Amino acid sequence: MNLVQDPWLPFRLRNGSERVLPMTAICDPNVIDFALPRADFQGAAYQFAIGLLQTVFAPDDKYLWHDIYEQAPEPEVLQQAFDKAAHAFCATGDGPLFMQDFDELDAAKPTTVAGLLIEAPGANGLKLNTDHFIKRGIGSVMSLEMANIALFTLQINAPSGGQGHRTGLRGGGPLTTLVLPQHSNSSLWQKLWLNVINRDKWRYEDPDLHSGLVFPWLAKTKSSDKKGTEIYASDIHPLHMFWAMPRRICLEVQQGEAICQITGKLAMQTVTEYRTQNFGGNYSGSWQHPLTPYKWNPKKPEEEHLSAKGQQGGITYKIWDALTLTSNENGQQCAQVVNHYYSLCEGFADIQSQVPRLWVFGYDMDNMKARGWYSVSFPLFSVSTEQQEEILNEVKSLQKLAADSLWQCRTQIKTAWFDKPGDAKGDMSFIDLAFWQRSEAAFYNAVQHLIGNAVQGDPYLVATQANTWLKALRNTATDLFDEYALSELGSERSMAKRIKARQLLTGWLYGGKDIKTFIANHKIEQLKEVV
């Protein structure tokens, strides 16, 4: 099976049906999405297709990019481009095989193919019998197709996996950010092409598609069992970032009918085991993966830049600025594909007039343990590079006021609940998540006003806009307090304590130092309000 010539991935069609089609189906206007059975596989399919397009079909400049965005290529044209790299996408045969080690790793002991799934319990978890929620045995039989997308998913997200089992190029569990059209029923082609960068914006030498510097599995693995064997960005071709291979793995493919435990469907070629060896590619130093934001210490920009990762408690607008805006002064850079979108807005009115979505997804990892998978969409506004530095501080001030309001809200809820709130233990993150979710619409309205003002040369909220944001925070905080702390009557003593906690909360919301500063900075007229 060849991954750029044969049908292997399921696609969702505009009429709601699903079909397994070859990769050229991405240019069919009736195809609107992939249809993988797992969320992490779905994200990996997008990254596979985007990486493939960037590698063999990247446009020379923004004008060609725009033409192809408006009119997808014919399947024959796309297939000719894919054929140039077909030798690197073999899933079966004598090798080299896609994302598999150049050597056959015959000396390695086979392990269950379920180990390709990032949430699968490891050897220690099986030994200690701690696989309570994620049961052992999931995915112990995979079709060849699902084994290959599982392998790719692992290589691009690889967490630490024990001695010498290397993390991915972006570190373990990176966040991926993709620019998507506003409407979910847009063609898959437009969803993918928005994340392909024209060569005038991202300049690199024409890739040698037979080189291990682009596709690492085409050459012997650079073993990392000794010091000085790290792989840095300057050692390889930039397109290698889409195809980085930190793990040394060889799949054992079997012929014969079996049920794939991922899809539940009959498969004629299956994988139940693979061989693996430690000390694969050890990616080190700073990178700029096109699909991931980075941050660094602005006072020490020469230090390693860190990729954005999934965080416990969810992905909310509290990090929206880090995912969408670039500022050297603040040490943050959004993904290259987002910057590419901004540059397109400056050249094409039809692109600028749209408000696309920013799809953010990735694992939340605790070292080698998967705590969860996040997949959220944020609005993405058209902001010129020059304006980003200007509005960022104001955006951060909105986020800080929200974070301070949340802290006050959570603290007073604990005060209402417990005699010794400082000693209270337990997970209170549900309060945080509710606060961020309920106030996010007001936040994005404020940001939209802010960007509109910046276009007019004044990158600040006017008084009425700032007051609307302040009211939204006050209402969200008091509503949550009332729901969590006053929903039951309780005893007279506990009610007195809860009323006092509410007074402390409203006292801060209407007279706290940070609130007063925000009011003064935005010249909000003081009005008497019933609290």
Side-chain angles (χ1 to χ4, degrees), residues 325 342 346 381-390 451:
L325 301 175
Y342 291 141
E346 296 173 4
F381 304 103
S382 171
V383 190
S384 69
T385 304
E386 296 75 20
Q387 291 171 345
Q388 291 184 32
E389 289 275 7
E390 291 180 341
I451 294 171

Side-chain angles (χ1 to χ4, degrees), residues 344-391:
L344 295 169
C345 289
E346 296 173 4
F348 303 102
D350 60 327
I351 300 294
Q352 187 180 27
S353 63
Q354 302 171 9
V355 180
R357 294 176 292 140
L358 185 73
W359 180 24
V360 187
F361 58 88
Y363 273 102
D364 170 18
M365 301 296 303
D366 177 11
N367 200 4
M368 64 178 71
K369 186 189 303 179
R371 286 188 297 224
W373 171 266
Y374 294 123
S375 176
V376 298
S377 288
F378 292 139
L380 185 60
F381 304 103
S382 171
V383 190
S384 69
T385 304
E386 296 75 20
Q387 291 171 345
Q388 291 184 32
E389 289 275 7
E390 291 180 341
I391 70 168

Side-chain angles (χ1 to χ4, degrees), residues 69-115:
Y69 180 71
E70 291 294 313
Q71 180 59 57
E74 294 296 324
E76 297 78 13
V77 174
L78 205 53
Q79 188 61 65
Q80 287 179 4
F82 291 169
D83 287 346
K84 293 186 294 185
H87 58 276
F89 289 88
C90 296
T92 53
D94 296 331
L97 300 178
F98 176 71
M99 283 284 167
Q100 298 187 47
D101 201 83
F102 190 80
D103 296 327
E104 295 184 354
L105 308 181
D106 288 330
K109 182 181 178 182
T111 185
T112 172
V113 72

Side-chain angles (χ1 to χ4, degrees), residues 27-154:
C27 65
D28 185 338
N30 291 314
V31 172
I32 62 170
D33 210 343
F34 293 103
L36 274 300
R38 289 170 51 102
D40 56 346
F41 286 8
Q42 185 82 353
Y46 268 83
Q47 293 180 74
F48 178 90
I50 291 166
L52 179 61
L53 290 169
Q54 188 72 56
T55 303
V56 303
F57 201 65
D60 290 337
D61 54 39
K62 62 183 180 182
Y63 302 104
L64 183 56
W65 182 95
H66 189 258
D67 290 344
I68 298 175
Y69 180 71
E70 291 294 313
Q71 180 59 57
E74 294 296 324
E76 297 78 13
V77 174
L78 205 53
Q79 188 61 65
Q80 287 179 4
F82 291 169
D83 287 346
K84 293 186 294 185
H87 58 276
F89 289 88
C90 296
T92 53
D94 296 331
L97 300 178
F98 176 71
M99 283 284 167
Q100 298 187 47
D101 201 83
F102 190 80
D103 296 327
E104 295 184 354
L105 308 181
D106 288 330
K109 182 181 178 182
T111 185
T112 172
V113 72
L116 295 179
L117 303 176
I118 290 178
E119 82 279 17
N124 199 44
L126 296 176
K127 180 181 177 181
L128 300 176
N129 200 30
T130 57
D131 53 328
H132 181 69
F133 292 106
I134 306 297
K135 297 297 184 185
R136 66 190 70 188
I138 57 168
S140 57
V141 179
M142 295 188 197
S143 66
L144 177 60
E145 293 84 354
M146 291 301 106
N148 271 276
I149 195 67
L151 174 61
F152 182 62
T153 304
L154 174 62

Side-chain angles (χ1 to χ4, degrees), residues 13 88 99 106 134 181 207 222 225 267 269 344 357 379 416 513 519:
L13 277 59
M99 283 284 167
D106 288 330
I134 306 297
K222 185 176 182 179
D225 55 341
Q269 291 179 299
L344 295 169
R357 294 176 292 140
K513 180 180 177 182
I519 289 173

